[in-house]
Amino acid sequence: MQKTSARLLSLLSLLQARRDWPGQLLAERLEVSPRTVRRDIDRLRELGYPIVAAKGPDGGYRLGAGSRLPPLLFDDDQAVALAVALRTAAATGAGIEEAAARALNTVRQVMPARLRHRVDALEVTAVERAGARPHPQVDPQVLVALSAAVRDREVLRFDYSPVFAPGADGTGRAVAPPRRAEPHHLVTWGARWYLVAWDLDRDDWRTFRVDRMAPRTPTGPRFTPREVPGGDVAAFVAGRFQGFDGSGGWPCRGEVILDLPASVVSAYSRDGIVEELGPHRCRLLLGAWSWVGLATAIGRFDADIQVIGPPELRDAFTLLAHRYTNATTH
C-alpha cells in the first residue's frame, strides 16, 4: 500500500482527471478501503482543496472550484509533462514564449530537488527546415476569444486581413466588411493556428488562419452546431491542405507501377495508396497540384516506372524526359 502522502497525491490526480468519481471506484483504483478514501478526502479538504461529496448509496466525490488556490501538487509524470509542454511552447506559434518561460521558472522553484534535476535535463530546441519561412505569431488573447466562442457556440464576427493587399485606409490592409461565421474547432496545422467554421456569408465550411483574424465584440447569437463534413475534424483539415475539395481529392491523380517493395514506397508516399504486387513490385496511386508535379514526385523513387494512367501523367513524364535530355546536351 502507498504511504499516506503518496496516496493523497494519487487521489488528487484522479480527482483532477474527471468530473465525478464514485467512492467505491476510487477505493479500487487506490487499492484501499472506502473508509480510507473518506479519511484522505478529509485530509485534502484540510489542505484547502474544495471536494464536494455526493450523497446516496453510490456516493462519490468531485473536485470543486474554491475561493482560494490551494497548493498545487503534481506527480512525477505530470511534472515532467508540464515541463516538456512549457519548453516546447515556442513551437506552437501562440506567442506565449515569454509567459511559458516564466511559468516554467515558477513551477521549477516549488519542485523537489529530484524532479528539478529531471526537468533541468530537458533541453529542447525547435529547429526549422532550411529555407522555411518563419511561422506567424498569434496573439494569445485572440486564441482565448476564439476558444470562448467555440465553447459557447456563439456566432463570431471578425476582420480577416489578406496576406497582403494595399487598402484605402492607408494601413496596407484591404478594407472589407467583417466576416460572420459559426466557430466549431480551433486547430493547429504545420505550426499555424486555424479556425474551422461555417461561413455564414458564403454558406460553406472554411478554415481561417488565426494570425489574420481580429475578433469583434460582442459576439453574435448562439447557434446549433453542424457536423463537420465526414464527422472527423482532423481528416477534414488534412483534406483541405492536401487539395481535397469535396469532389474527389487532388486536382491531378495518377496510377503507376514501381519496381520497388510496397514497404519502401509506403514509407515515402505520404497520402498515397500503395498496393503490393509482389516482393519487389507495387502499385502507387498518388495526387498532386499539377501533372508535372505528380510526375516529379513519382520520379524521385529510384526504380523503373510503368504508367497506368491517365494520359496526362504520361504526357508529363514525356515533357520531363525532354527537359532532362536538353539539360544534358547544353
Side-chain angles (χ1 to χ4, degrees):
M1 182 183 297
Q2 293 177 306
K3 294 182 179 180
T4 301
S5 58
R7 194 174 64 246
L8 288 177
L9 184 58
S10 297
L11 174 57
L12 182 60
S13 179
L14 290 173
L15 290 171
Q16 292 172 333
R18 55 184 281 183
R19 181 175 175 81
D20 294 293
W21 277 96
Q24 183 60 41
L25 182 56
L26 280 176
E28 294 173 1
R29 293 290 294 271
L30 297 171
E31 299 181 348
V32 297
S33 66
R35 183 179 180 182
T36 300
V37 170
R38 290 193 295 271
R39 289 178 177 176
D40 288 347
I41 291 292
D42 290 337
R43 292 188 179 99
L44 289 177
R45 286 169 175 162
E46 292 173 358
L47 291 174
Y49 290 92
I51 301 175
V52 181
K55 297 181 180 181
D58 298 324
Y61 302 95
R62 174 190 303 176
L63 183 62
S67 58
R68 64 187 181 90
L69 182 65
L72 294 176
L73 299 178
F74 299 98
D75 59 32
D76 290 14
D77 291 340
Q78 288 175 323
V80 173
L82 179 62
V84 171
L86 290 174
R87 285 196 184 279
T88 56
T92 66
I96 57 174
E97 296 86 348
E98 182 182 351
R102 289 189 285 108
L104 178 60
N105 185 58
T106 300
V107 172
R108 181 186 175 279
Q109 291 178 11
V110 297
M111 284 181 175
R114 59 183 175 80
L115 281 183
R116 190 158 53 244
H117 292 323
R118 291 182 64 184
V119 168
D120 289 344
L122 287 168
E123 291 295 338
V124 181
T125 302
V127 179
E128 296 288 347
R129 298 192 308 270
R133 293 179 296 177
H135 299 300
Q137 295 296 298
V138 175
D139 186 342
Q141 296 303 317
V142 172
L143 290 176
V144 171
L146 297 183
S147 297
V150 171
R151 178 199 62 205
D152 298 334
R153 302 300 185 190
E154 294 179 343
V155 171
L156 190 67
R157 298 185 308 121
F158 58 95
D159 295 315
Y160 194 61
S161 63
V163 176
F164 180 78
D169 59 354
T171 63
R173 294 183 177 182
V175 179
R179 305 288 288 270
R180 300 181 308 118
E182 298 175 353
H184 283 262
H185 297 276
L186 193 60
V187 301
T188 60
W189 175 277
R192 283 192 173 96
W193 289 87
Y194 295 89
L195 179 72
V196 178
W198 177 264
D199 193 318
L200 292 171
D201 298 318
R202 289 157 178 78
D203 200 32
D204 194 9
W205 288 96
R206 291 289 190 272
T207 52
F208 298 100
R209 272 180 46 176
V210 175
D211 61 287
R212 294 164 52 189
M213 297 178 66
R216 292 195 176 193
T217 55
T219 53
R222 289 180 175 271
F223 62 88
T224 301
R226 307 168 188 261
E227 184 178 359
V228 174
D232 186 340
V233 65
F236 172 76
V237 173
R240 284 296 173 106
F241 288 100
Q242 291 173 356
F244 183 73
D245 60 3
S247 60
W250 292 102
C252 301
R253 297 183 68 87
E255 184 178 353
V256 299
I257 293 178
L258 299 173
D259 287 345
L260 280 176
S263 58
V264 174
V265 175
S266 61
Y268 299 97
S269 61
R270 301 200 323 184
D271 60 331
I273 299 175
V274 182
E275 177 187 358
E276 184 176 1
L277 299 179
H280 303 291
R281 296 183 79 224
C282 67
R283 186 190 312 272
L284 172 64
L285 178 63
L286 195 65
W289 288 106
S290 68
W291 293 110
V292 171
L294 178 57
T296 302
I298 296 173
R300 65 194 174 100
F301 292 103
D302 186 12
D304 289 339
I305 303 169
Q306 177 186 348
V307 178
I308 304 300
E312 290 86 352
L313 181 57
R314 293 192 183 92
D315 294 341
F317 273 111
T318 300
L319 175 60
L320 287 177
H322 179 68
R323 288 177 178 174
Y324 292 155
T325 299
N326 287 342
T328 61
T329 58
H330 290 81

